[in-house]
Amino acid sequence: MLHLLHRQRVVHLLRTEGPLARADLADRLGLSRPSITTLVGELIEDGTLVELDSRVEGPGYRGRPRKLLGCNPHARRVLGIWIDERRARIAVADATGNITHEDETPTAGRAAASVIRSIIRIAKQLIEDPAVESVAAAGICIPGFIDSTTGFVVESKSLGWSEVELGQPISHALGVPTAVLDSTQAMTLAETIAGEAREVRSALVLNCGGHVDVGLIIGGRPYSGATGVAGAIGHMPIAGSEAQCLCGRTGCVDAGMSLHAMQPVAPQTEGLPLKDIDLDAVAQDTSRNPTAQKIIRDVIDRIAHTAILAEALFDPEVLILSGLITEFEDLIVALESRIDEIRPPERRGRTTTVRSHIGRDYRVAVIVALQQLDPDIAGLLRTPAS
């Protein structure tokens, strides 16, 4: 797994800041020159990277000119599928993560079988486009209890799905290996490769949006637990809470700490996609409403206390605040301030709080798909095609 992460970090660095020489990669990633030589050799051999004609040299430069490396624009394609309670987004990307084609289908109020059929139809249309080169793998992200070894959705309360075969029918229809991960664990993987955790050994990812879950990074790699559902706290009961959860139970973490718990302050936004919400107008309305302000403060306080408790349990180098809450500036600032305020004196200076810059969409699913192109873990993530 660590070898895989190093491979993906090399690709990500070249995609975002390349082209670079091998020595530059070694210095930037903190790896030895022999390790970089091995990684780059593998990536050139499998067609992900290419050596460019240009070389590093110039005034004051001594030694042999160094060849620059770049991402191969004709590298293998993958399919990324992000499913949430409103829609499923499907995208084709090359092996460097660049999105080339995309489409979507609604999920709200639809049965799992109907959504899966739509995903397959759209994916086939994208794959069969003459402009799209062959697709080698697919990655699916969905919130819930997921058996990632089989691609089976045990329970997704956000979508109302239970006991759903997800990975296998899509893999069979498209003819490519298909990995399925819980969205929080997928975001944690993305943070490890390309986000705030790429240079640390331990991190805690607090994913807060329509639901609340935790992602763990231990020893520089994502940790999913003995059965694959570590950090799935959204429907754990909170003592004394009588908040009604969307799952039908009372007192769940999601009921008191997610953005759904703040919905009463802006009921007019219920069911609207974020792009259709006037955030400035909502902020102005709530700022003049003492009741709304109290609801927000209470929810922020609960999230902050949960973050501090999890931080104390795992003692990570960084606490990464992730999810939809990061797109509401007033809320994320309030959460950061409250975490700093209630962090005990003995914990101060031990963990750094940072915001995630990884999106909550198919770009994360693309990273899940890319993992299957690495032989080190292909067997662990692969859903059989038949």
Side-chain angles (χ1 to χ4, degrees):
M1 181 67 164
L2 195 56
H3 183 75
L4 159 73
L5 295 176
H6 289 326
R7 283 171 57 101
Q8 292 299 328
R9 285 166 178 159
V10 168
V11 173
H12 177 74
L13 187 58
L14 286 171
R15 182 168 65 87
T16 55
E17 301 183 33
L20 297 169
R22 288 169 175 81
D24 298 324
L25 290 170
D27 293 341
R28 298 285 291 277
L29 296 174
L31 297 174
S32 68
R33 303 293 172 88
S35 294
I36 284 294
T37 298
T38 298
L39 291 166
V40 167
E42 293 175 0
L43 290 164
I44 289 176
E45 184 177 354
D46 69 22
T48 301
L49 301 183
V50 291
E51 287 189 326
L52 306 176
D53 291 336
S54 55
R55 297 166 178 257
V56 178
E57 54 185 320
Y61 178 81
R62 294 183 178 182
R64 297 171 57 190
R66 296 179 296 169
K67 288 186 178 180
L68 293 178
L69 298 163
C71 293
N72 182 2
H74 302 295
R76 291 170 294 175
R77 267 40 177 180
V78 295
L79 199 69
I81 303 168
W82 178 276
I83 305 174
D84 59 32
E85 59 268 30
R86 292 195 179 96
R87 56 184 172 168
R89 284 169 282 187
I90 304 100
V92 176
D94 61 30
T96 66
N98 293 309
I99 304 295
T100 58
H101 299 74
E102 59 188 271
D103 204 343
E104 63 181 59
T105 184
T107 58
R110 297 175 65 191
S114 174
V115 173
I116 292 171
R117 285 194 298 271
S118 293
I119 289 173
I120 291 172
R121 174 181 54 78
I122 292 171
K124 284 184 174 180
Q125 289 174 347
L126 293 177
I127 290 173
E128 292 167 1
D129 188 315
V132 175
E133 297 181 31
S134 62
V135 170
I140 305 174
C141 301
I142 181 172
F145 271 66
I146 311 300
D147 184 340
S148 59
T149 61
T150 64
F152 187 75
V153 179
V154 179
E155 188 83 33
S156 177
K157 296 186 182 299
S158 298
L159 281 88
W161 293 10
S162 180
E163 304 293 314
V164 173
E165 291 277 5
L166 180 58
Q168 190 169 26
I170 291 178
S171 177
H172 181 75
L174 302 182
V176 297
T178 300
V180 183
L181 286 185
D182 162 64
S183 53
T184 298
Q185 291 190 3
M187 291 168 70
T188 302
L189 177 64
E191 291 291 348
T192 307
I193 293 170
E196 299 298 330
R198 65 187 181 276
E199 296 179 357
V200 301
R201 298 287 294 168
S202 61
L204 181 69
V205 179
L206 180 66
N207 180 22
C208 184
H211 57 92
V212 178
D213 282 313
V214 171
L216 305 174
I217 296 167
I218 300 174
R221 63 188 71 184
Y223 175 75
S224 58
T227 65
V229 293
I233 65 172
H235 296 283
M236 296 298 104
I238 301 174
S241 173
E242 297 181 356
Q244 293 295 315
C245 185
L246 295 178
C247 75
R249 299 203 295 252
T250 300
C252 295
V253 167
D254 281 358
M257 299 185 202
S258 70
L259 295 189
H260 281 306
M262 297 185 191
Q263 193 66 59
V265 309
Q268 72 276 16
T269 64
E270 179 70 36
L272 291 178
L274 181 63
K275 63 183 179 62
D276 294 335
I277 299 175
D278 186 337
L279 299 181
D280 290 336
V282 171
Q284 290 178 7
D285 290 343
T286 55
S287 67
R288 296 190 293 265
N289 186 331
T291 301
Q293 285 296 301
K294 183 180 186 307
I295 290 173
I296 292 172
R297 283 196 304 271
D298 288 348
V299 173
I300 291 293
D301 187 65
R302 295 185 202 112
I303 299 172
H305 276 87
T306 300
I308 290 296
L309 176 59
E311 179 186 295
L313 286 171
F314 296 103
D315 188 28
E317 294 172 63
V318 294
L319 166 63
I320 303 172
L321 304 180
S322 179
L324 182 60
I325 195 169
T326 62
E327 300 185 32
F328 294 83
E329 183 67 18
D330 290 345
L331 297 183
I332 194 64
V333 168
L335 179 57
E336 290 169 332
S337 299
R338 187 56 176 151
I339 288 173
D340 289 341
E341 182 181 351
I342 66 174
R343 183 175 278 135
E346 63 272 17
R347 289 247 12 116
R348 290 174 186 163
R350 297 182 182 276
T351 296
T352 303
T353 304
V354 297
R355 298 184 198 182
S356 171
H357 297 287
I358 299 290
R360 304 167 295 101
D361 56 23
Y362 47 68
R363 284 165 291 193
V364 175
V366 165
I367 290 177
V368 173
L370 287 171
Q371 308 321 299
Q372 296 174 93
L373 302 186
D374 191 285
D376 286 351
I377 64 163
L380 295 178
L381 287 181
R382 182 167 297 161
T383 299
S386 60

